């Protein structure tokens, strides 16, 4: 343990640890890392103290599925545009994220992947952008949602390899409809490359979904959305995912995509160690109601809901801090459970839980400070304030 005279100690009304919330609590930081955390009065002899009465400290959020924010989108060849979206979500507590592409012209997707790869490779160690998630183009056209039909492709290895080559080792997740001809070959190729196949935008039945999981898929893209409904005699993809102990289920907990009672059902069935809150956020997140684009597709943001011209859902305006608040307010989760779904579960899925995802010694000091009403007051990434401010 480092010399306490080098510590910055944050004392708060509540600190959310891996298995409990302590009130009052404290977190000690030295440089980039957490050195200790606990309940009650903070340790004496530290270099500096920040008192945060009435506030709550949580671990930084980890988002597996983010398309944009603050008017910017990720499916872009412009690194500055991608980073603007990332910065917006950092201001709402997401300290680490995947940059998620929507379906577009294959060359345009490749250009966006090259831009993401440049960002990832330029980071010093684990950065704000952990890698890329390709939500398309290998989707079932009948369950494409907001993805442009003209660019949805059948699963082929040449198309996959073109995209992975552009990603230059930074692709982390690829969503595939497993019932399509050629999908199993893609799943096997991804597993061979240590990239996570995800099941989504699919009409697969229960058996086809279970087979995809047996082949190595470990993620369900936005559970319940863009797939057949859960039925007591035909459990479908959602039933297969909830029943498989090796599968993590994304959940868009915005009060629109999934009814609060199904949030309760999913989290109680799978447990929060297999539920990962995601935003599925569009460029409309953080902006006023209006017209935007998601990839090449026009979308409309009205009253907290994002839709296509025909009224179908098209991503969200969700941020991770709101997903956590709603989980506690309407989803029946404790703050500790909601925090795990927003931080530790996705971090474990990405294989970075040794670095982030919870408040524990030797992990990076990724911290979110919420004020008394639950709004983000300050965000720290690796011990540095990256959004908001701490009191002096």
């Amino acid at each position: 343990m480092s010399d306490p005279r080098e510590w910055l100690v944050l004392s708060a009304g509540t600190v959310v640890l891996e298995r409990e919330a302590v009130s009052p609590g404290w977190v000690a930081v030295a440089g980039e890392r957490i050195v200790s955390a606990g309940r009650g009065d903070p340790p004496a002899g530290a270099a500096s103290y920040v008192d945060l009465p009435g506030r709550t400290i949580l671990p930084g959020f980890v988002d597996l599925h983010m398309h944009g924010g603050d008017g910017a989108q990720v499916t872009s060849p412009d690194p500055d545009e991608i980073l603007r979206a990332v910065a917006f979500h950092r201001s709402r507590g997401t300290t680490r994220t995947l940059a998620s592409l929507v379906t577009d012209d294959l060359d345009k997707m490749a250009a966006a992947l090259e831009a993401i790869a440049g960002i990832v490779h330029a980071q010093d160690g684990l950065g704000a952008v952990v890698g890329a998630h390709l939500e398309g183009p290998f989707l079932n056209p009948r369950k494409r949602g907001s993805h442009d039909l003209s660019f949805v492709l059948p699963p082929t290895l040449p198309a996959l390899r073109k995209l992975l080559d552009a990603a230059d080792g930074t692709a982390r997740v690829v969503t595939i409809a497993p019932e399509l001809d050629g999908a199993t070959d893609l799943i096997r190729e991804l597993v061979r490359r240590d990239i996570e196949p995800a099941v989504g935008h699919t009409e697969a039945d229960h058996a086809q979904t279970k087979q995809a999981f047996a082949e190595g898929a470990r993620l369900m893209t936005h559970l319940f959305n863009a797939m057949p409904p859960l039925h007591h005699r035909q459990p479908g993809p959602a039933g297969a995912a909830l029943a498989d102990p090796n599968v993590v289920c994304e959940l868009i907990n915005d009060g629109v995509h999934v009814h609060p009672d199904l949030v309760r059902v999913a989290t109680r069935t799978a447990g929060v160690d297999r539920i990962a809150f995601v935003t599925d956020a569009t460029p409309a997140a953080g902006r006023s109601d209006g017209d935007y684009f998601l990839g090449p597709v026009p979308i409309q943001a009205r009253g907290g809901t994002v839709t296509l011209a025909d009224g179908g859902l098209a991503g969200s305006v969700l941020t991770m801090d709101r997903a956590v608040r709603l989980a506690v307010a309407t989803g029946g989760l404790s703050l500790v459970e909601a925090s795990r779904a927003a931080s530790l579960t996705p971090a474990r899925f990405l294989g970075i839980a040794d670095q982030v995802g919870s408040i524990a010694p030797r992990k990076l000091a990724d911290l979110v400070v919420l004020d008394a009403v639950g709004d983000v007051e300050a965000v720290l990434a690796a011990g540095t304030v990256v959004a908001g401010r701490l009191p002096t």
Side-chain angles (χ1 to χ4, degrees):
M1 186 176 293
S2 64
D3 188 335
R5 290 173 296 181
E6 300 173 351
W7 294 2
L8 164 66
V9 176
L10 308 178
S11 298
T14 301
V15 175
V16 178
L17 305 177
E18 284 194 15
R19 294 292 178 183
E20 63 175 340
V22 295
S23 300
W26 52 271
V27 183
V29 177
E32 295 185 340
R33 299 197 176 267
I34 298 165
V35 291
S36 189
R39 182 195 303 271
D41 294 332
S48 58
Y49 294 84
V50 175
D51 192 20
L52 300 165
R55 277 81 146 196
T56 300
I57 301 178
L58 295 89
F61 308 131
V62 180
D63 194 350
L64 300 176
H65 195 147
M66 183 279 290
H67 296 295
D70 192 25
Q73 66 172 312
V74 165
T75 310
S76 169
D78 181 0
D80 290 338
E81 180 173 8
I82 296 168
L83 288 171
R84 190 164 89 244
V86 172
F88 165 72
H89 286 283
R90 271 206 156 183
S91 75
R92 300 300 191 273
T94 297
T95 50
R96 314 289 164 176
T97 189
L98 292 184
S100 299
L101 275 63
V102 294
T103 301
D104 204 334
D105 173 83
L106 207 62
D107 288 335
K108 291 183 178 179
M109 292 185 72
L113 286 167
E114 289 173 355
I116 293 166
I119 292 169
V120 174
H121 291 322
Q123 296 170 155
D124 183 16
L126 182 64
V129 181
V130 179
H133 166 205
L134 285 72
E135 197 182 3
F138 311 115
L139 313 177
N140 190 311
R142 290 184 294 274
K143 290 293 184 180
R144 67 186 183 277
S146 59
H147 293 253
D148 193 317
L149 178 61
S150 60
F151 298 122
V152 172
L153 297 178
T156 66
L157 288 171
L160 176 67
R161 288 166 179 162
K162 176 184 175 73
L163 295 173
L164 297 185
D165 286 348
D168 191 22
T170 64
R172 302 297 297 271
V173 177
V174 180
T175 296
I176 298 171
E179 72 276 17
L180 301 178
D181 290 343
T184 298
D185 290 338
L186 265 64
I187 291 172
R188 291 171 177 169
E189 176 77 0
L190 291 168
V191 170
R192 185 182 69 80
R193 292 177 179 238
D194 200 25
I195 300 169
E196 298 286 356
V199 172
H201 288 273
T202 178
E203 287 191 334
D205 60 23
H206 186 253
Q208 290 169 322
T209 307
K210 287 182 67 175
Q211 182 59 36
F213 295 152
E215 293 286 353
R218 295 195 308 126
L219 183 69
M220 176 60 77
T221 296
H222 44 52
L223 181 70
F224 303 125
N225 295 110
M227 64 186 64
L230 184 66
H231 186 277
H232 58 286
R233 288 192 299 274
Q234 298 173 353
L242 289 170
D244 192 317
N246 298 312
V247 173
V248 170
C249 300
E250 293 184 353
L251 203 61
I252 309 171
N253 187 37
D254 63 349
V256 176
H257 281 78
V258 182
H259 191 281
D261 280 351
L262 269 186
V263 173
R264 291 172 184 261
V265 169
T267 53
R268 295 305 174 221
T269 301
V272 291
D273 288 334
R274 291 204 297 115
I275 295 292
F277 290 154
V278 297
T279 62
D280 197 21
T282 68
R287 291 291 186 96
S288 58
D289 286 357
D291 298 332
Y292 301 87
F293 279 87
L294 182 58
V297 176
I299 57 175
Q300 303 171 347
R302 302 286 187 275
T305 300
V306 185
T307 62
L308 302 168
D310 65 6
L313 290 177
S316 81
V317 294
L318 184 64
T319 53
M320 290 292 275
D321 61 312
R322 184 165 182 267
V324 169
R325 285 198 300 273
L326 282 174
V328 175
T330 67
L333 275 69
S334 69
L335 183 57
V336 173
E337 291 172 322
S339 172
R340 289 176 76 84
S343 301
L344 188 57
T345 296
R348 282 178 170 163
F349 176 78
L350 291 172
I352 58 174
D354 61 329
Q355 296 291 310
V356 297
S358 62
I359 296 174
R362 294 180 295 281
K363 291 194 177 186
L364 292 171
D366 283 15
L367 305 171
V368 181
V369 179
L370 302 181
D371 66 18
V373 297
D375 292 331
V376 175
E377 182 172 329
V379 182
L380 285 75
T384 297
V385 177
V386 295
R389 67 179 185 86
L390 293 173
T392 56

